[in-house]
């Protein structure tokens, strides 16, 4: 009786691993594939039965990879056209068989059972465990088949190492059962190594994601600034069109004033028109077009809020810092300064101002922005931080750009003034 139960258990574990392997590499997605798969696995079991009857169980166990695993690899390769992923699927399914075996080993150990109890228990959990893995585990594994070959190999390393370890220490030798220290500690060693590799990989990936996020934030800022500049230019263009349209009426009115000797009224009218035109003019702060547009845009926003913005310095048309990076540096810094001053203006403060110093010396850009602030600024390693969602990204972007150019930056506060200085 125990012989037949053990034989049924061997057949069950063969189909358990074969079905999982086929599911992992999507080899059963068509009716034709299913017919070929079931026919192929049936032939393999017939071959196993012949070898078992002729040479016995020990010989069968030793050549099991040649009778089952290698033919299954060829079969899945034919059905899917993916040799590497078929191999990884088989190795992963072999590793999953250990779950089935270990669960019952634990039960047998608790109840002091024997080999018969082990075989019956493994038979009992085969179908439920297979269904659970097909429903929850297989879809996750199948998604990995769409990844790059590098990621597939990384995923298949541990199943591959376990396969070699299991046959080397449990099937072809008894090193594991004899309790050899090297054999017992080998798999924990492998887990430790791959844990460290995973940490290195994860850290590198996180660094790349942070860099990508910085680039995305930079592009968003550039887009926002461009929209503002376009809006300002469109508004200026619209006003210019209106003045061109109304020019004839203005001239007629001025002509009438002069004819009637009302020179003072004519001059007052001209001054009023000049002030209106000046309001929509893009202010000229420096020769650098990108910096000038950004400074002009923020100066206009500050003026509307009742905040004075004073700009000192000179920046040439061409500098080593790219326009996109310059846009991120200025936009982030001025946006933070404007945000701090807006809070003070809301509280009724009238003498709120932003002082900007920008110039180039020895082919390096120097920028200093000083603005008042409300509340308390928290610093970590000399960098201001905020626990509010969505805040602090601008400072991170500034630091990242300065570091990329090999420059230096500093953030400080003194007498209620926040001071940002940088050189790139």
């Amino acid at each position: 009786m125990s012989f037949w139960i053990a034989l049924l258990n061997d057949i069950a574990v063969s189909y358990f691993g074969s079905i999982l392997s086929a599911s992992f590499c999507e080899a059963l997605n068509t009716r034709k594939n299913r017919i070929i798969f079931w026919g192929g696995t049936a032939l393999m079991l017939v071959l196993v039965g012949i070898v078992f009857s002729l040479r016995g169980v020990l010989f069968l166990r030793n050549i099991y990879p040649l009778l089952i695993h290698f033919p299954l690899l060829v079969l899945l390769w034919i059905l899917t056209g993916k040799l590497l992923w078929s191999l990884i699927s088989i190795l992963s399914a072999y590793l999953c068989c250990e779950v089935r075996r270990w669960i019952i080993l634990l039960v047998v150990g608790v109840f002091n059972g024997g080999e018969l109890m082990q075989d019956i228990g493994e038979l009992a959990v085969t179908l439920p465990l297979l269904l659970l893995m097909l429903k929850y585990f297989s879809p996750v594994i199948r998604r990995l088949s769409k990844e790059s070959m590098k990621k597939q190999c990384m995923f298949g390393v541990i199943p591959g190492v376990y396969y070699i370890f299991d046959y080397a220490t449990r099937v072809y030798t008894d090193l594991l059962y004899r309790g050899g220290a090297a054999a017992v500690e080998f798999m924990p060693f492998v887990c430790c190594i791959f844990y460290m590799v995973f940490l290195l990989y994860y850290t590198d990936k996180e660094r790349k994601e942070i860099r990508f996020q910085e680039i995305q934030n930079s592009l968003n800022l550039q887009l926002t600034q461009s929209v503002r500049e376009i809006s300002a230019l469109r508004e200026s263009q619209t006003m210019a069109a209106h003045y061109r349209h109304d020019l004839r009426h203005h001239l007629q009115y001025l002509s009438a004033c002069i004819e009637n000797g009302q020179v003072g009224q004519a001059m007052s009218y001209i001054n009023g028109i000049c002030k209106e035109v000046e309001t929509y003019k893009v202010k000229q702060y420096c020769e650098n077009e990108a910096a000038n547009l950004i400074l002009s845009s923020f100066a206009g926003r500050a003026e509307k809020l009742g905040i004075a913005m004073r700009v000192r310095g000179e920046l040439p048309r061409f500098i080593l810092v790219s326009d996109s990076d310059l846009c991120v540096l200025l936009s982030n810094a001025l946006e933070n300064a404007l945000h701090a001053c807006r809070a003070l203006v809301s509280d009724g403060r009238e003498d709120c101002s932003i002082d900007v110093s920008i110039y180039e010396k020895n082919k390096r850009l120097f920028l200093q922005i000083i603005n008042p602030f409300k509340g308390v600024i928290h610093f970590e390693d000399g960098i201001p931080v905020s626990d509010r969602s969505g805040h602090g990204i601008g400072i991170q972007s500034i630091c990242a750009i300065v570091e990329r150019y090999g420059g230096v930056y500093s953030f400080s506060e003194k007498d209620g003034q926040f001071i940002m200085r940088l050189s790139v």
Side-chain angles (χ1 to χ4, degrees):
M1 181 68 179
S2 61
F3 168 79
W4 293 108
I5 292 176
L7 181 61
L8 284 174
N9 185 37
D10 289 340
I11 295 172
V13 74
S14 296
Y15 270 108
F16 180 88
S18 299
I19 293 171
L20 274 183
S21 301
S23 176
F24 289 166
C25 61
E26 294 184 284
L28 305 176
N29 52 357
T30 65
R31 185 172 180 272
K32 178 182 176 181
N33 281 10
R34 289 192 290 271
I35 293 173
I36 295 173
F37 173 78
W38 292 116
T41 52
L43 287 175
M44 284 187 281
L45 286 178
V46 170
L47 182 60
V48 167
I50 294 172
V51 172
F52 174 75
S53 61
L54 294 177
R55 301 298 300 270
V57 66
L58 184 60
F59 180 78
L60 175 62
R61 179 175 294 182
N62 288 336
I63 67 166
Y64 193 84
L66 293 177
L67 294 179
I68 295 294
H69 298 153
F70 181 73
L72 181 61
L73 173 63
V74 175
L75 179 62
L76 295 179
W77 183 18
I78 293 172
L79 295 178
T80 64
K82 301 175 181 178
L83 176 60
L84 176 63
W85 188 249
S86 297
L87 175 61
I88 293 174
S89 297
I90 293 172
L91 295 174
S92 301
Y94 186 85
L95 186 61
C96 291
C97 292
E98 181 62 24
V99 177
R100 169 184 176 273
R101 181 170 176 272
W102 188 87
I103 291 173
I104 305 305
L105 276 174
L106 179 63
V107 175
V108 171
V110 171
F111 293 99
N112 295 319
E115 290 187 6
L116 180 61
M117 185 178 180
Q118 177 76 26
D119 291 332
I120 293 174
E122 289 183 11
L123 271 173
V125 301
T126 296
L127 184 59
L129 187 60
L130 177 63
L131 294 176
L132 283 173
M133 288 194 169
L134 289 175
K135 183 175 182 180
Y136 297 106
F137 193 54
S138 288
V140 178
I141 300 295
R142 284 197 293 267
R143 282 198 292 271
L144 290 171
S145 66
K146 307 298 190 299
E147 298 291 342
S148 64
M149 187 175 294
K150 178 182 176 181
K151 289 187 178 180
Q152 291 181 19
C153 290
M154 289 177 62
F155 171 76
V157 167
I158 288 184
V161 170
Y162 174 77
Y163 182 90
I164 296 171
F165 171 79
D166 194 48
Y167 269 90
T169 61
R170 196 172 63 87
V171 178
Y172 297 137
T173 68
D174 61 349
L175 287 174
L176 189 61
Y177 295 125
R178 283 194 284 112
V184 171
E185 296 293 335
F186 179 73
M187 285 311 295
F189 161 76
V190 171
C191 291
C192 179
I193 290 296
F194 278 92
Y195 174 73
M196 290 187 289
V197 171
F198 169 77
L199 283 179
L200 292 174
Y201 173 78
Y202 177 79
T203 303
D204 181 65
K205 186 176 181 182
E206 187 178 35
R207 180 183 59 80
K208 291 179 180 177
E209 288 179 353
I210 291 173
R211 174 61 184 148
F212 175 79
Q213 187 63 45
E214 289 174 354
I215 294 173
Q216 185 66 41
N217 293 334
S218 171
L219 293 174
N220 289 338
L221 281 169
Q222 292 173 43
L223 177 61
T224 302
Q225 188 60 32
S226 297
V227 170
R228 287 173 181 162
E229 292 162 6
I230 291 171
S231 298
L233 292 172
R234 184 180 291 120
E235 191 173 357
S236 298
Q237 187 179 28
T238 301
M239 291 304 300
H242 288 164
Y243 280 115
R244 284 195 302 270
H245 179 268
D246 296 337
L247 182 59
R248 181 168 54 88
H249 303 294
H250 294 315
L251 292 175
Q252 287 177 349
Y253 177 79
L254 291 171
S255 176
C257 288
I258 293 171
E259 287 177 0
N260 295 322
Q262 298 173 335
V263 178
Q265 187 172 348
M267 291 300 297
S268 176
Y269 187 79
I270 292 172
N271 290 333
I273 294 175
C274 289
K275 288 181 181 179
E276 289 185 29
V277 172
E278 192 68 23
T279 302
Y280 295 97
K281 177 184 176 182
V282 175
K283 296 180 181 179
Q284 191 72 23
Y285 292 101
C286 60
E287 294 180 8
N288 188 279
E289 185 178 8
N292 194 67
L293 286 171
I294 296 167
L295 291 169
S296 179
S297 174
F298 275 95
R301 291 172 60 190
E303 187 176 355
K304 290 178 181 178
L305 294 170
I307 302 169
M309 180 170 150
R310 296 185 289 267
V311 180
R312 292 184 297 274
E314 181 63 26
L315 203 61
R317 182 180 297 273
F318 301 106
I319 59 175
L320 294 179
V321 180
S322 67
D323 286 351
S324 59
D325 288 336
L326 181 62
C327 175
V328 174
L329 290 173
L330 279 174
S331 296
N332 274 304
L334 291 172
E335 189 71 52
N336 289 340
L338 205 61
H339 178 77
C341 289
R342 188 186 295 118
L344 293 172
V345 171
S346 299
D347 289 345
R349 179 167 171 175
E350 298 180 355
D351 60 338
C352 197
S353 64
I354 301 172
D355 292 306
V356 181
S357 299
I358 183 169
Y359 59 94
E360 186 192 45
K361 185 177 181 181
N362 298 327
K363 295 185 177 180
R364 295 188 70 87
L365 168 69
F366 292 87
L367 174 64
Q368 175 181 278
I369 296 180
I370 303 175
N371 62 269
F373 65 92
K374 174 185 177 182
V376 179
I377 299 177
H378 299 283
F379 292 87
E380 287 186 7
D381 298 326
I383 299 175
V385 295
S386 174
D387 56 0
R388 289 183 295 172
S389 177
H391 292 265
I393 296 176
I395 293 293
Q396 294 174 15
S397 298
I398 291 172
C399 295
I401 291 175
V402 173
E403 289 171 358
R404 194 165 71 247
Y405 280 90
V408 292
Y409 53 78
S410 70
F411 306 93
S412 61
E413 59 169 308
K414 184 178 180 181
D415 300 329
Q417 299 284 327
F418 178 76
I419 305 168
M420 187 207 78
R421 296 188 179 100
L422 60 87
S423 170
V424 290

